[in-house]
C-alpha cells in the first residue's frame, strides 16, 4: 500500500517562510519610512525646500550724484541681462554654444565668461550679456528649455545724463577686476560696478550700498517658476555736489573747441561751482566696455581727452604769478608800495639779459603800476630783492605748488622751486633762476585749480580749500561757511594793494586786460593776465624785431592764462582760465573769463539750495 506525501505540511512551511520574508521586508520598509518621515523628516523637508527655492544675492542700487539744486548727474537705469548659474547645468560649454546662436558672443566675451565660471563658485551667477534689447530678451525666453542654467534678470546700470559735460568730475564706473573680487567676494555679483575715476572713485564705498536677496521657486531642472521674495538691499548713499550744471554747461560752451580748462569757485568757501575741461569723453563707454578702436582713437589724440586738465594739467603760471611775488616782497619789506623801478625794456644780471614783454619798456613804475602793466622788469628786480625761498613760502600759502584738499583723485601738486629743491637735484641755485621765477617761468608749475584757489585766497584773505562734495546722504559737509576757513595771516594792507593792481589790470586805462572788463556797470572784476612760454626764445629773435609767437606752430605757442575775482568790492566768485597754446592771456583767456564771470554773477548760484531763478522771483515780490 502506497502512501501519499504530506503536502500540506510542506506547503505550510513554505508559506510561513514567505510570510516571514514579507514581514521582514515590510518591517524594514516601515522602519525606513519611519526614519525618513519621523526621525529625519525635518532634514529632508529642508533639503526639499532648498531644491525648490533658489536664494541669491542681488547687487544694490548705486547711490546717485546730484548737483547743488538736486539735478541728477549720475544715476541708474534698468538693465536687462542674461546670467548663467553653472550648478544648474551639466555642460556650461554647450549652453554657451546654444546661447551664442541666439545672441552672438564675441571671442573676448566668451573668454571672459569661461574665466569667471572657473573663478567663481558654481552657485554664483555669471554675467553672459548685459544691455539686452527687447528682441534679444524675448528670444532667450522662447528658447529657455534649451538653455538650462540661463536666466534673464533685470538690474540697474549707471547713466550719465550730462555725458562729456561732467565726465572729468563725475568720473565713471567699470566692472571689478579679478584682484578686486579676490579682496571683496561680494563684488562678484552680476551688475556690480566700482568707481574707477573722478568722484565715482573718491566716494565709491559711500555709493555702493549693501547687497539684497532674491528667492526664486525652481523646478527639478533648475528652471525658474516664479519669484517668491525680493529684498533690494540698501541703496548706496546719494552724493550732493557743489556744482551748478547750468553754469557748467555755460563754461563748456564758452571754451568751445579750445584745448583748455576753466574753473569757477565760490571764493568765500571754496565750493567748486563749475570745472570745465576740453576735450572730454563719454563716461558711459566704460560701463559697457571700451572698444579697442575707441582706445586707439584716444591714444592718437594729442590733446589727451582723458586728462582732467583742471587738476592734472601743469603749466608755468607766467605773469599771473606776480601777485605772489609782490606779497612775498611786501611782507619781507624788500619793497614798499612807493618803491619805483625803472623799466627800459630789459634787465641785465651778470652776463645775462632778461627782457620785458614790452620791447620799449614801461618807464618808472611802483608796485601797483607793475601789476597793472604786468611789467617783467619790475618783477625781475622784485624777485631778486626778496629771494626764491620767501617767494616759494608765500606761493604755498596762496595755494600754488602744493597739495590741495580737493576730493577728486589725480590732482597734481605742481612745483614751486626752492634752493633746497635745486640742490637736491645736484645743481646750485643762481640769481638768474630767481629772476625768471619772478615772472612765473623757469621751474614753476601749477594747475588751473591752484590758480583759481590762488585768486580766491587773494580776494578774501582766507585759506580756503576747493571741494566738490556738499552733502552725503543729505548731511551737509564741513566747509560751507566762510568762517570755516582760517586767515592766511597776510596783512590786509598788502592784500588791498595787490587787489588794487588787479583792478587796474581790467578797469583802468593802460591795463593789460581791457577785454576782461564786465559789460554790466553794477559789477567790476579784478584780474591778472599771463602767458607762459613752452619753448625758449633766443636773444636774436627778440632783438631782431621780427619774432611773433602767434606765427609759431600751435604746439610751440605760449599758453594763455587769466585769473580773476568779482565783484571787486564784495568778492563772491573766483575764476581761472588756461588756454593751451593760446599765445596771449589778454587776447585768448581774458575774454573767456569775462563771459564765464558774467554768467556766474547773473545766475548767482553760490550758497543757494534752490534754483537761482526761483529765489530771484521770490525777492522781486517782497516789498
Amino acid at each position: 500500500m502506497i502512501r501519499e506525501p504530506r503536502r500540506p505540511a510542506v506547503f505550510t512551511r513554505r508559506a510561513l517562510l514567505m510570510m516571514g520574508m514579507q514581514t521582514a521586508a515590510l518591517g524594514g520598509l516601515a522602519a525606513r519610512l519611519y526614519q525618513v518621515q519621523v526621525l529625519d523628516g525635518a532634514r529632508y523637508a529642508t533639503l526639499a525646500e532648498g531644491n525648490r527655492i533658489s536664494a541669491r544675492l542681488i547687487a544694490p542700487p548705486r547711490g546717485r550724484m546730484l548737483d547743488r539744486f538736486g539735478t541728477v548727474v549720475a544715476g541708474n537705469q534698468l538693465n536687462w541681462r542674461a546670467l548663467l548659474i553653472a550648478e544648474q547645468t551639466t555642460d556650461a560649454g554647450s549652453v554657451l554654444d546654444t546661447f551664442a546662436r541666439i545672441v552672438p558672443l564675441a571671442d573676448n566675451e566668451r573668454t571672459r565668461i569661461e574665466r569667471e565660471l572657473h573663478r567663481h563658485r558654481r552657485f554664483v551667477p555669471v554675467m553672459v550679456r548685459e544691455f539686452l534689447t527687447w528682441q534679444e530678451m524675448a528670444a532667450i525666453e522662447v528658447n529657455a528649455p534649451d538653455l538650462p542654467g540661463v536666466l534673464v534678470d533685470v538690474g540697474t546700470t549707471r547713466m550719465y545724463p550730462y555725458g562729456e559735460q561732467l565726465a572729468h568730475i563725475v568720473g565713471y564706473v567699470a566692472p571689478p577686476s579679478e584682484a578686486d573680487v579676490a579682496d571683496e567676494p561680494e563684488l562678484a555679483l552680476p551688475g556690480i560696478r566700482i568707481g574707477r575715476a573722478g568722484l565715482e572713485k573718491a566716494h565709491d564705498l559711500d555709493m555702493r550700498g549693501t547687497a539684497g536677496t532674491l528667492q526664486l521657486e525652481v523646478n527639478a531642472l533648475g528652471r525658474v517658476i516664479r519669484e517668491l521674495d525680493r529684498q533690494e538691499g540698501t541703496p548706496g548713499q546719494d552724493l550732493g555736489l557743489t556744482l551748478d550744471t547750468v553754469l557748467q554747461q555755460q563754461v563748456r560752451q564758452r571754451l568751445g573747441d579750445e584745448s583748455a580748462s576753466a574753473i569757477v569757485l565760490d571764493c568765500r568757501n571754496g565750493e567748486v561751482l563749475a570745472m570745465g575741461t576740453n576735450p572730454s569723453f563719454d563716461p558711459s563707454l566704460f560701463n559697457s566696455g571700451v572698444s579697442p578702436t575707441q582706445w586707439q582713437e584716444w591714444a592718437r589724440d594729442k590733446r589727451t581727452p582723458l586728462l582732467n586738465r583742471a587738476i592734472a594739467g601743469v603749466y608755468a603760471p607766467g605773469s599771473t604769478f606776480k601777485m605772489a611775488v609782490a606779497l612775498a616782497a611786501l611782507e619781507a619789506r624788500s619793497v614798499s608800495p612807493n618803491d619805483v623801478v625803472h623799466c627800459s625794456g630789459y634787465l641785465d644780471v651778470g652776463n645775462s639779459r632778461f627782457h620785458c614783454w614790452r620791447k620799449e619798456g614801461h618807464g618808472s613804475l611802483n608796485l601797483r603800476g607793475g601789476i597793472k602793466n604786468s611789467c617783467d622788469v619790475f618783477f625781475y628786480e622784485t624777485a631778486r630783492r626778496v629771494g626764491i625761498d620767501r617767494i616759494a613760502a608765500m606761493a604755498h600759502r596762496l595755494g600754488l605748488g602744493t597739495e590741495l584738499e580737493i576730493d577728486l583723485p589725480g590732482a597734481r601738486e605742481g612745483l614751486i622751486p626752492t634752493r633746497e629743491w635745486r640742490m637736491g637735484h645736484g645743481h646750485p641755485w643762481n640769481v638768474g633762476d630767481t629772476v625768471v621765477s619772478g615772472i612765473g617761468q623757469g621751474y614753476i608749475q601749477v594747475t588751473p585749480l591752484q590758480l583759481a584757489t590762488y585768486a580766491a585766497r587773494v580776494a578774501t584773505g582766507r585759506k580756503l580749500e576747493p571741494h566738490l562734495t556738499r552733502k552725503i546722504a543729505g548731511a551737509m559737509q564741513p566747509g560751507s561757511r566762510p568762517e570755516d576757513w582760517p586767515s592766511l595771516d597776510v596783512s590786509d594792507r598788502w592784500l588791498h594793494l595787490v587787489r588794487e593792481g588787479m583792478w587796474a589790470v581790467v578797469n583802468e586805462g593802460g591795463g593789460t586786460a581791457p577785454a576782461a572788463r564786465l559789460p554790466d556797470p553794477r559789477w567790476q572784476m579784478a584780474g591778472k593776465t599771463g602767458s607762459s612760454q613752452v619753448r625758449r626764445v633766443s636773444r636774436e629773435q627778440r632783438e631782431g624785431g621780427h619774432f611773433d609767437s602767434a606765427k609759431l606752430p600751435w604746439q610751440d605757442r605760449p599758453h594763455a592764462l587769466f585769473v580773476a575775482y568779482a565783484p571787486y568790492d564784495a568778492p563772491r566768485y573766483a575764476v581761472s582760465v588756461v588756454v593751451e597754446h593760446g599765445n596771449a592771456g589778454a587776447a585768448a583767456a581774458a575774454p573767456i573769463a569775462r563771459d564765464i564771470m558774467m554768467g556766474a554773477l547773473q545766475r548767482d548760484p553760490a550758497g543757494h539750495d534752490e534754483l537761482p531763478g526761483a529765489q530771484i522771483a521770490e525777492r522781486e515780490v517782497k516789498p
Side-chain angles (χ1 to χ4, degrees), residues 118-134:
H118 178 73
R119 186 176 68 189
H120 300 324
R121 295 184 179 181
R122 290 179 57 80
F123 61 82
V124 175
V126 169
M127 186 77 69
V128 178
R129 170 64 69 83
E130 287 189 283
F131 311 108
L132 293 171
T133 65
W134 181 263

Side-chain angles (χ1 to χ4, degrees), residues 390-452:
R390 285 174 175 162
I391 292 173
M394 178 58 70
H396 287 151
R397 285 160 69 184
L398 295 173
L400 299 175
T402 188
E403 183 178 0
L404 298 175
E405 296 178 8
I406 184 69
D407 44 345
L408 201 58
R412 295 179 65 180
E413 289 188 26
L415 173 66
I416 304 294
T418 62
R419 291 178 182 275
E420 182 181 0
W421 171 84
R422 185 67 171 148
M423 291 295 292
H425 286 75
H427 300 283
W429 186 268
N430 58 57
V431 177
D433 294 328
T434 301
V435 169
V436 296
S437 296
I439 63 166
Q441 294 283 172
Y443 302 108
I444 300 175
Q445 290 187 328
V446 300
T447 67
L449 180 64
Q450 290 175 349
L451 288 172

Side-chain angles (χ1 to χ4, degrees), residues 584-600:
I592 295 176
R594 174 201 61 206
D595 295 342
I596 290 174
M597 184 65 81
M598 276 303 301

